[in-house]
Amino acid sequence: MTEGVLTVRERDLMYRLIISQMLHDGFHEIAGQLSRAVYAFPDCPPSNRLQHVVQLGLRAEPDREAQVQLVDSVAPGTGIDLEFDTDVQTLAPEAAHYETCYVTSHKAPCRVAAWSKDGQLVATGSDDASIKILDVERMLAKSATNVPESQHSVDSHPVIRTLYDHIEDVTALDFHPSLPLLASGSKDFTIKFFDFSKSGVKRAFRSLQEAEEISCLNFHPGGNFLLVGTQHPTLRLYDVTTLQCYVSSNPKDQHTGPITAVTYSPNATIYATASQDGSIKIWDGVSNRCVNTLEKAHGGTDVCSVQFSRNSKYLLSSGKDSLVKLWEVSTSRVLITYTGASTDKQVHETRAVFNHTEDYVLFPDEKTTSLCCWDSRNAERNKLLSLGHNNIVRCIVHSPTSPGFMTCSDDFRARFWYYRPSSD
């Protein structure tokens, strides 16, 4: 076959991908006309498959300008698994080896951040009611060059979107797992959906009104549902397409205090919630019924965060007792307690996170504004990292794919940290 000539099968696939992309972008009438014109039947279901194909093709072009390379996949290893981990050699860097690569400022305390699932974008939210979306490659490129600020082009600026549609503090953010969609929650009792693929759009295309302030939210790994926690003890589950709201039919399933964190397991079979009532609840991902409650998970203090391990076997939690715990989901046992972050109880809520390989657990110390880092398997504490903020660090989120994390502080700033091997 000569170059540029497609077989009938390849041409049909190309047409179907184009039609699928048009349906995905909302051009239903044109997609139908094209489908009939090129005999691409049956119509393709909406997807973003063509986008991935184009991205792969662009990467292969010989004259394409080289970009700052990120780690495209998770570093060696499959994450923490204490059933099989015996003498694991940690290849990922300690937190103390990370360095600040970019700082962005809001006009009020920065309280929340979230990563896209591919690790290419990170969003920050503030009490000034604004949301910023930053491009990771641009942040790394900006920190790696000595070009004066005045010579940087608009196209290379790390902040690719600034979104305004809330009227109160932004308290929760999450990226859709496959679509260019960002969900946000606020103290203004609303949940907003932003399509960030459109550069000129700063307002949400869809909104949900709640009865209480939004505290946390998380997309289902398939993207069809959204978990929402508010200052009310009742957990909400929304169908993203219809915006239908679901709650458990059993009132005893619910928390007795405001919900502080919600998260799906990677395999979507279960999800977890945390609350100011001091408990962690495990829910069935299909029936949406509570199947287990971990009472007084942190000695009765507020539980601030929950995060599943990549294999869904373990749950990492943090509380206002300044402790971080690793739970075995199947037995409800605490396997490891990570201590030494502070001798005092936390005043404000913050979260503990795994690094991208789950070799380390990270948790900011409220009093010293430094970052504690433990070996996730044996709880050995490593060197502290001074986070450089001038006020309390209220949020930390680690990239799911590369050695980078974002910290948000009451000093109005969000700092992007990254590990460069050459900086050692």
Side-chain angles (χ1 to χ4, degrees):
M1 185 179 71
T2 59
E3 185 177 357
V5 179
L6 302 176
T7 65
V8 174
R9 183 177 180 182
E10 290 171 335
R11 186 173 63 246
D12 180 65
L13 176 59
M14 181 180 68
Y15 288 152
R16 289 172 61 81
L17 288 176
I18 293 172
I19 294 168
S20 170
Q21 185 67 37
M22 295 178 73
L23 289 170
H24 176 271
D25 293 336
F27 300 106
H28 301 281
E29 183 177 349
I30 300 175
Q33 294 173 357
L34 181 59
S35 177
R36 291 188 290 272
V38 300
Y39 300 101
F41 298 108
D43 290 344
C44 303
S47 75
N48 59 353
R49 187 177 174 190
L50 181 63
Q51 175 189 353
H52 297 310
V53 172
V54 171
Q55 289 174 343
L56 290 172
L58 289 175
R59 290 181 183 180
E61 289 185 355
D63 57 346
R64 181 167 171 80
E65 184 179 347
Q67 294 183 323
V68 176
Q69 295 296 311
L70 294 175
V71 179
D72 288 333
S73 59
V74 174
T78 57
I80 187 171
D81 193 336
L82 301 179
E83 291 184 41
F84 302 100
D85 295 347
T86 53
D87 187 18
V88 176
Q89 182 179 2
T90 302
L91 300 177
E94 293 182 24
H97 295 155
Y98 286 53
E99 61 183 28
T100 300
C101 289
Y102 189 75
V103 180
T104 188
S105 297
H106 286 270
K107 296 178 181 178
C110 184
R111 294 287 173 82
V112 64
W115 286 87
S116 63
K117 301 305 180 278
D118 60 5
Q120 300 294 317
L121 301 173
V122 62
T124 61
S126 168
D127 285 3
D128 66 9
S130 72
I131 300 167
K132 292 184 178 184
I133 300 180
L134 301 99
D135 184 285
V136 175
E137 286 185 346
R138 293 185 183 185
M139 287 192 288
L140 290 174
K142 195 173 183 69
S143 68
T145 180
N146 293 320
V147 178
E149 185 74 23
S150 59
Q151 296 183 23
H152 283 292
S153 68
V154 175
D155 292 339
S156 66
H157 196 281
V159 180
I160 63 170
R161 301 285 185 273
T162 303
L163 308 173
Y164 302 96
D165 209 10
H166 288 292
I167 58 175
E168 295 288 345
D169 310 8
V170 177
T171 55
L173 294 168
D174 196 30
F175 283 92
H176 191 279
S178 58
L179 303 179
L181 180 67
L182 178 70
S184 65
S186 169
K187 286 186 177 180
D188 62 12
F189 295 18
T190 66
I191 301 164
K192 304 284 186 178
F193 296 91
F194 297 90
D195 182 354
F196 59 83
S197 66
K198 301 173 182 177
S199 59
V201 176
K202 297 183 181 295
R203 303 289 181 182
F205 71 93
R206 212 173 193 185
S207 181
L208 273 171
Q209 185 69 41
E210 262 292 351
E212 295 279 352
E213 296 178 1
I214 313 301
S215 57
C216 49
L217 49 80
N218 184 232
F219 276 109
H220 183 281
N224 298 323
F225 299 97
L226 182 72
L227 285 173
V228 176
T230 71
Q231 291 299 303
H232 192 276
T234 301
L235 177 69
R236 275 83 158 156
L237 176 69
Y238 282 95
D239 184 305
V240 174
T241 303
T242 66
L243 299 188
Q244 178 71 41
C245 180
Y246 302 93
V247 297
S248 173
S249 58
N250 184 1
K252 293 182 179 179
D253 283 351
Q254 304 297 340
H255 286 283
T256 58
I259 298 173
T260 56
V262 292
T263 183
Y264 269 102
S265 65
N267 61 16
T269 58
I270 54 176
Y271 54 87
T273 59
S275 170
Q276 289 181 13
D277 66 13
S279 70
I280 297 172
K281 287 182 178 287
I282 308 297
W283 305 71
D284 184 273
V286 177
S287 68
N288 299 314
R289 293 292 304 272
C290 179
V291 295
N292 193 14
T293 299
L294 307 176
E295 299 284 1
K296 297 184 178 179
H298 283 265
T301 64
D302 299 7
V303 183
C304 304
S305 69
V306 282
Q307 179 186 359
F308 281 100
S309 63
R310 196 178 304 148
N311 58 17
S312 302
K313 288 183 178 182
Y314 309 106
L315 186 71
L316 187 73
S317 69
S318 67
K320 282 193 174 180
D321 58 357
S322 298
L323 297 178
V324 180
K325 298 182 178 183
L326 186 71
W327 303 78
E328 186 176 44
V329 176
S330 62
T331 63
S332 305
R333 292 185 304 150
V334 176
L335 299 181
I336 300 176
T337 299
Y338 306 92
T339 62
S342 177
T343 56
D344 301 321
K345 292 183 178 180
Q346 299 283 126
V347 176
H348 303 91
E349 291 179 3
T350 188
R351 66 178 74 176
V353 297
F354 286 114
N355 75 325
H356 63 302
T357 60
E358 298 183 357
D359 288 319
Y360 296 106
V361 170
L362 310 179
F363 183 69
D365 178 16
E366 184 176 85
K367 180 175 287 188
T368 64
T369 66
S370 59
L371 185 69
C372 295
C373 174
W374 296 272
D375 184 299
S376 63
R377 296 173 177 86
N378 59 27
E380 179 183 346
R381 204 176 84 163
N382 298 309
K383 292 181 181 178
L384 293 174
L385 171 67
S386 176
L387 292 174
H389 287 286
N390 297 321
N391 211 322
I392 298 167
V393 175
R394 299 295 290 269
C395 178
I396 176 173
V397 286
H398 199 288
S399 168
T401 59
S402 60
F405 63 84
M406 184 72 80
T407 54
C408 302
S409 170
D410 280 0
D411 66 4
F412 298 12
R413 294 176 176 84
R415 288 179 175 267
F416 171 60
W417 299 79
Y418 197 79
Y419 169 71
R420 297 180 187 274
S422 60
S423 67
D424 265 345

